[in-house]
Amino acid sequence: MTSSPRVVALCEQVVGTTYAQQGGQNARAREALLVQLLSQRTLPERGWREADIEWVLRELAAMDTNNFVARCGVGEREGRVACGVVWRRHYGLAHGMGRSGELLAVQPKAA
């Protein structure tokens, strides 16, 4: 579920207003966890539920070019995972580091 007003409105047509609104509220609360983590750059005082940790990992993995919709990377450092079990175990985070060896360095060919 997403907190997008458009998606919530469409969900209302399927599951009803109450459930769609509750889903939207939950999505906003989950997004607030990610915003807090990224803006404060520190672990929260109170631990997260496993489901929230997995959601954050999936959200971050969705930003990897390997996981873009309708895209199949074939570069020399593109992450390829043939087995769904392995992909799930690593939350889709399969893209390696570039030649610089710096994890956070921009990879011009990957962008």
Side-chain angles (χ1 to χ4, degrees):
M1 180 71 182
T2 176
S3 64
S4 162
R6 181 168 185 239
V7 172
V8 173
L10 291 169
C11 286
E12 288 178 0
Q13 298 172 15
V14 178
V15 299
T17 302
T18 302
Y19 292 125
Q21 294 297 323
Q22 288 175 347
Q25 289 171 356
N26 184 60
R28 284 188 293 280
R30 188 173 263 178
E31 288 171 2
L33 292 174
L34 180 57
V35 167
Q36 178 185 13
L37 177 70
L38 295 174
S39 64
Q40 295 182 2
R41 294 182 177 223
T42 184
L43 295 175
E45 291 285 326
R46 189 169 158 225
W48 291 358
R49 299 176 314 140
E50 279 187 42
D52 294 328
I53 294 169
E54 290 179 348
W55 175 81
V56 165
L57 290 171
R58 285 191 190 96
E59 287 295 302
L60 294 174
M63 290 186 260
D64 189 339
T65 56
N66 297 332
N67 299 317
F68 285 5
V69 174
R71 179 158 195 248
C72 180
V74 292
E76 63 189 41
R77 288 180 293 276
E78 294 287 340
R80 294 177 198 84
V81 181
C83 177
V85 171
V86 174
W87 190 91
R88 287 187 300 275
R89 177 181 175 147
H90 297 284
Y91 299 94
L93 296 167
H95 209 121
M97 286 188 269
R99 294 180 188 157
S100 70
E102 296 292 327
L103 182 61
L104 300 178
V106 174
Q107 303 298 320
K109 291 182 180 179

